[in-house]
Amino acid sequence: MREPVLKLRGISKRFPGVVANDQVDLDVYPGEVHALLGENGAGKTTLMNILYGFYQPDEGQIELSGRPVRIGSPAEAMRLGIGLVPQHPLLVRRHSVAENLALGLPTGWWRPTKPLGKRLHELKQQYRLDVEAGALVEQLSPGEKQRVEIIRALLRGAKILILDEPTSVLTPQEAGELFKVIQRITQSGGAVLFISHRLDEVLEIANRVTVLRKGKAVGSLTPPTDKATLAEMMVGRQVSFERERGMAKRGAPVLEVQKLSVFSDRGLPALRSVSFNLHQGEVLGVAGVAGNGQSELIQVLAGLRKAVSGSVKLDGRDITGKTPRQLHTLGVAHVPEDRIRMGVVPSMSVAQNLALRNYFRPPFSKGLWLDQQELDQNALRQIRQHEIAAPKPGTEARLLSGGNIQKIILARELAGNLKVILAVHPTYGLDVGASEQVHATLLQKTQEGAAVLLVSEDLDEIISLSDCVGVLYAGELVGPVEATSVTREQIGLWMMRGETAFTTIEA
Amino acid sequence: MEEIFSALARAMAFGTPILLAALGEVVVERAGVVNLGVEGMMAVGALAAFAAAQTSGNPFLGVVAGVLAGGIAASAHAFVSVNLRANQFVSGLALTMLGLGLSGLLGNKYVGAPLEHPLAETGFTWAAVVLSIVIWLVLYFTRTGLVVRSVGENPAAADALGLEVYLVRYGATIFGGMMAGLAGAFLSLAYRPSWSDGMTSGLGWIAVALTIFVAWESIRAVFGAFFFGLLYHLAFRLQGRLPSEMLLALPYLLVIVVLTLAALRRRQGNAPEGLGLPYERGTR
């Protein structure tokens, strides 16, 4: 048996009130991909931060190639040959790729980017990792940015590469490319620690899996084979992979969007003549790489952004240019993308946050005054009904977890007689249990006759919930088409190339 | 013809302190720190330079004193805004008021005092032009420049690579203060040469505005500074025809003009992304 290149024994890390890592053991062997699987909050990130020198473990020891080490800082981690490819790239947006790479390398003082050309060429030969050195980072796709991070780690001599949720921002095709690169890295002797909560990709890429649950390593499989077992280890109970679609009947169009064009904050066209119909009882999933007009689409439908041209009709009535309050009164609910910034007021109480849509009318308002008692009564009802883990109505919203904040938003937005629900990344950052609940709530609403416009970067979510799927690419909408008529790969192609991919596939 | 040459020469002289201070501010802001204390640092530098030159009789010692005083004043801003992560705009404004008040108070006994060996204006002017080229070379062709620019754009990225964000920002801020001090030394040792309270008369503010106007590029600052030097000179020549209050208000008027022009040219989009934002590890 070979020696592990990285060996963790009994690693524990406590934060006030939580044990983030509890006696975790982990072995990473050279030439292998070791997946670290777990839900959000299971302790994956903490363990990664310990390995990369951001945190010091309270207990336990780390051995690198049999030698005990102490990793005091990211710089030290890199000296020891540990490289991290973060989930969200840490690059200087407006600098070139070469400048970003040179920043982390001990090249000379005068023209530090100069020696890079040769080394990039070597990497291209060895791993087929290709990126244009002169390009500005802001012009790169998420996949290319990730490649820059990988190249940087390799240039700095990383023998162990930590990839943190690397596929979360990639299209399926880009993910496939990444997996090939990972294979070439392990073939040449490198070790990869692959952090993920997606079972399918772990099964595809990993030689070993360690599953974390509530801070503990609950087991490992070598090699992993069985999805159901892994899921049960991860969640602690059986999980169904069945499509969650309800029996909702699709009815008449409720929302008719005609040739809608919108500018972004920077004054550039963000939506170009987008048209679609949303029918009663339907879930329309809108996929796309972030920044292709999704935010602007939702904002204009929610009354937060002005349309440049085109119209939006609700039940045949023109609602273009209505205010958010008017729209909500007409039955348009908005579950916003950034739940902390747009969904709640973090410094206000749960009770106040629950009343943000209706505070100005009775029973909450009494003339000029708010009825505090009524606010609290309402909050207590909602807390019970929606199982919000808030100790009391007066608790500040910022003290709650992401899942519970989302419950507050859903309780507030999805109350009453709804026609259209605009839901953006509704399960982003939530654990499996909370995600299931959010999905169930949305599907329940479709059965009551509401239509859902679901914007998400999570393709699995789109595919499992939607009746129809569209893709936003450079402000243009591809589709929508019946969800059953397209494959994941096709959606991925549209995300990367837009309509041109559509026509080539059909032809 | 001679008239035009002398006008241009005066414009260069007017522009020199603006250029020196703006070059410093370009570097500071490239590292992500806004220092609105330029006017105050300039005043402190002017007084320190004059006092040292007058007591020692050596004007070069005066220059050194001015530069050091500016640097020390800037380190106060660096401490408050980098270490304590206070609001950089407020801290800079406080530094301006402190610098103006302190120099006025301590400089009382030098008012009207003569300076035996004043320095030539042209020396400062050429030094400023050379410095603008050197700063451009350093910013774009060296590791030091790459580090400064990266810290100003995305301090979190620089930190993750093991760079010392605080140290870089400190260094840049102090460098900016030294340049403002040098601008002050030019005023009290060469341009006037004497000390009077409030002799910086808003030039520091023009330098701050110029930094934005030239989109944080040191070589453009040369042209910008001399352009405003020319405007200044023209206004000076019209003194008889215009009310004198007009001249006093001119620097502030110019600041507004500069910023309006910059906004019209959409230059603010070139601002370093981390500009004015304190950096703290672990927050995004």
Side-chain angles (χ1 to χ4, degrees):
Chain A
M1 192 75 196
R2 285 166 306 159
E3 270 296 296
V5 58
L6 173 71
K7 196 161 138 185
L8 302 187
R9 284 293 172 268
I11 296 289
S12 295
K13 177 72 186 172
R14 290 174 208 93
F15 293 108
V18 254
V19 183
N21 286 154
D22 189 1
Q23 298 288 327
V24 175
D25 295 347
L26 189 75
D27 292 315
V28 181
Y29 290 88
E32 282 192 1
V33 179
H34 191 132
L36 194 58
L37 188 68
E39 291 195 275
N40 292 299
K44 292 175 304 195
T45 310
T46 307
L47 197 63
M48 179 192 80
N49 282 333
I50 287 173
L51 281 175
Y52 202 58
F54 281 121
Y55 299 152
Q56 294 306 308
D58 297 328
E59 281 166 34
Q61 74 173 14
I62 305 173
E63 282 179 27
L64 275 174
S65 311
R67 227 159 27 91
V69 290
R70 192 185 158 276
I71 306 169
S73 70
E76 218 171 318
M78 269 173 288
R79 267 199 301 283
L80 292 166
I82 299 174
L84 171 70
V85 177
Q87 186 177 5
H88 302 287
L90 267 174
L91 298 169
V92 180
R93 223 166 50 87
R94 293 198 306 196
H95 285 181
S96 70
V97 170
E99 283 176 307
N100 271 283
L101 292 173
L103 191 62
L105 291 171
T107 49
W109 184 74
W110 182 250
R111 301 193 59 187
T113 55
K114 210 178 163 199
L116 281 172
K118 202 174 130 244
R119 300 183 64 181
L120 281 177
H121 187 70
E122 288 165 11
L123 278 185
K124 190 178 162 184
Q125 297 289 311
Q126 194 178 353
Y127 303 109
R128 264 172 280 163
L129 266 167
D130 194 12
V131 67
E132 200 189 320
L136 291 180
V137 166
E138 62 185 349
Q139 295 165 343
L140 303 182
S141 72
E144 288 171 314
K145 286 182 199 158
Q146 188 177 60
R147 224 175 294 155
V148 175
E149 291 273 13
I150 294 175
I151 289 172
R152 179 152 75 185
L154 293 174
L155 283 177
R156 299 185 80 174
K159 290 187 280 295
I160 304 163
L161 203 57
I162 308 173
L163 297 165
D164 182 18
E165 304 271 359
T167 59
S168 61
V169 293
L170 302 183
T171 63
Q173 284 78 9
E174 286 178 316
E177 280 295 308
L178 172 69
F179 288 173
K180 280 185 206 144
V181 168
I182 290 178
Q183 272 161 12
R184 286 181 211 119
I185 290 172
T186 50
Q187 271 158 22
S188 52
V192 171
L193 185 61
F194 187 94
I195 299 175
S196 179
H197 66 262
R198 296 188 184 179
L199 295 169
D200 292 308
E201 61 185 35
V202 164
L203 289 174
E204 184 180 339
I205 189 84
N207 305 97
R208 271 164 220 279
V209 180
T210 295
V211 181
L212 283 185
R213 189 170 81 230
K214 292 181 181 162
K216 288 196 175 94
V218 289
S220 52
L221 290 179
T222 322
T225 44
D226 181 18
K227 188 169 167 182
T229 318
L230 275 182
E232 208 180 320
M233 280 164 69
M234 183 164 115
V235 184
R237 61 183 163 78
Q238 286 195 330
V239 181
S240 125
F241 291 101
E242 290 303 299
R243 205 173 142 96
E244 301 167 18
R245 287 292 309 142
M247 301 290 116
K249 267 277 176 247
R250 221 185 300 182
V254 265
L255 193 72
E256 292 163 82
V257 176
Q258 273 299 324
K259 297 195 170 165
L260 192 62
S261 293
V262 170
F263 284 151
S264 70
D265 289 339
R266 299 166 76 182
L268 306 169
L271 288 182
R272 303 162 198 262
S273 196
V274 166
S275 304
F276 64 91
N277 285 344
L278 184 62
H279 302 84
Q280 213 176 11
E282 172 187 56
V283 179
L284 170 58
V286 176
V289 176
N292 273 289
Q294 295 94 322
S295 304
E296 286 84 358
L297 173 64
I298 293 296
Q299 283 164 0
V300 71
L301 294 180
L304 296 168
R305 187 177 284 274
K306 256 196 186 148
V308 176
S309 61
S311 71
V312 184
K313 283 183 186 159
L314 185 71
D315 278 342
R317 220 177 114 190
D318 192 3
I319 56 162
T320 328
K322 292 240 189 271
T323 66
R325 184 179 284 183
Q326 288 170 328
L327 288 171
H328 184 256
T329 316
L330 291 169
V332 178
H334 181 201
V335 181
E337 58 181 313
D338 187 341
R339 64 179 74 105
I340 308 277
R341 281 195 205 161
M342 293 174 70
V344 291
V345 184
S347 58
M348 282 180 14
S349 72
V350 172
Q352 288 168 328
N353 271 296
L354 281 166
L356 281 180
R357 280 290 192 189
N358 292 315
Y359 68 92
F360 54 89
R361 44 168 99 96
F364 297 135
S365 97
K366 276 187 178 166
L368 278 176
W369 308 100
L370 280 178
D371 188 337
Q372 193 58 48
Q373 229 174 349
E374 194 58 46
L375 285 177
D376 287 347
Q377 291 290 324
N378 171 59
L380 284 172
R381 266 198 310 276
Q382 306 275 17
I383 286 172
R384 210 172 320 121
Q385 193 184 337
H386 297 276
E387 296 168 350
I388 302 168
K392 56 180 198 296
T395 310
E396 283 177 35
R398 68 185 168 87
L399 299 173
L400 304 186
S401 72
N404 282 300
I405 287 178
Q406 192 70 329
K407 282 181 192 171
I408 293 179
I409 296 169
L410 291 174
R412 183 185 70 215
E413 295 295 324
L414 304 188
N417 202 0
L418 287 179
K419 293 191 177 121
V420 172
I421 300 169
L422 310 169
V424 191
H425 311 316
T427 57
Y428 180 80
L430 302 186
D431 61 35
V432 173
S435 300
E436 278 178 359
Q437 223 174 342
V438 170
H439 289 162
T441 312
L442 288 176
L443 292 175
Q444 162 79 28
K445 287 289 165 187
T446 63
Q447 292 186 30
E448 292 168 13
V452 177
L453 186 67
L454 171 71
V455 172
S456 178
E457 274 165 56
D458 184 349
L459 265 189
D460 296 324
E461 178 170 52
I462 296 241
I463 288 167
S464 73
L465 288 184
S466 307
D467 302 284
C468 279
V469 180
V471 174
L472 269 176
Y473 175 79
E476 288 177 13
L477 186 71
V478 187
V481 296
E482 291 286 330
T484 45
S485 70
V486 288
T487 60
R488 260 182 86 87
E489 283 61 39
Q490 229 164 342
I491 297 177
L493 277 177
W494 293 339
M495 286 168 69
M496 285 190 296
R497 276 182 261 141
E499 191 84 47
T500 50
F502 191 54
T503 44
T504 49
I505 284 169
E506 287 207 322
Chain B
M1 198 63 200
E2 207 168 309
E3 183 99 336
I4 294 175
F5 269 125
S6 101
L8 284 180
R10 290 320 296 155
M12 304 250 298
F14 271 117
T16 299
I18 305 177
L19 177 57
L20 286 169
L23 287 176
E25 189 70 6
V26 163
V27 173
V28 180
E29 298 201 1
R30 279 300 182 113
V33 179
V34 173
N35 189 353
L36 297 184
V38 178
E39 179 86 2
M41 299 187 298
M42 212 192 259
V44 169
L47 173 63
F50 187 80
Q54 218 251 354
T55 16
S56 71
N58 182 348
F60 294 102
L61 217 58
V63 172
V64 172
V67 167
L68 284 181
I72 291 168
S75 60
H77 179 66
F79 177 71
V80 172
S81 59
V82 178
N83 290 75
L84 304 182
R85 293 182 284 273
N87 185 307
Q88 296 179 7
F89 296 91
V90 176
S91 162
L93 283 174
L95 183 58
T96 282
M97 290 188 249
L98 184 73
L100 288 175
L102 204 65
S103 59
L105 181 71
L106 300 177
N108 240 338
K109 61 176 172 176
Y110 295 103
V111 175
L115 189 68
E116 276 175 45
H117 308 285
L119 290 170
E121 288 173 347
T122 45
F124 282 89
T125 306
W126 287 115
V129 173
V130 170
L131 268 172
S132 76
I133 297 169
V134 171
I135 287 172
W136 176 73
L137 285 172
V138 169
L139 277 178
Y140 288 104
F141 291 93
T142 69
R143 171 161 298 275
T144 310
L146 178 62
V147 168
V148 167
R149 286 185 293 127
S150 300
V151 163
E153 291 280 343
N154 189 344
D159 189 33
L161 292 173
L163 300 174
E164 298 291 343
V165 173
Y166 286 11
L167 217 60
V168 172
R169 289 193 158 180
Y170 245 91
T173 307
I174 289 173
F175 175 79
M178 292 166 93
M179 292 296 287
L182 185 60
F186 167 80
L187 291 177
S188 67
L189 299 180
Y191 185 71
R192 280 292 167 75
S194 66
W195 164 257
S196 62
D197 189 11
M199 69 185 297
T200 50
S201 63
L203 289 174
W205 289 112
I206 298 187
V208 172
L210 189 68
T211 306
I212 300 168
F213 181 65
V214 300
W216 297 269
E217 298 284 2
S218 62
I219 289 185
R220 278 193 201 145
V222 177
F223 301 101
F226 291 139
F227 173 62
F228 287 105
L230 200 60
L231 284 187
Y232 227 73
H233 177 68
L234 291 179
F236 201 70
R237 294 288 290 272
L238 293 173
Q239 213 170 1
R241 273 163 259 176
L242 289 172
S244 63
E245 289 82 2
M246 193 67 194
L247 199 65
L248 286 175
L250 191 67
Y252 308 101
L253 208 65
L254 280 184
V255 169
I256 295 173
V257 170
V258 165
L259 291 179
T260 312
L261 286 177
L264 285 178
R265 292 161 70 193
R266 289 184 169 271
R267 272 291 157 70
Q268 263 122 348
N270 278 356
E273 287 213 317
L275 187 60
L277 305 173
Y279 175 66
E280 189 172 3
R281 186 178 281 177
T283 57
R284 286 176 66 92

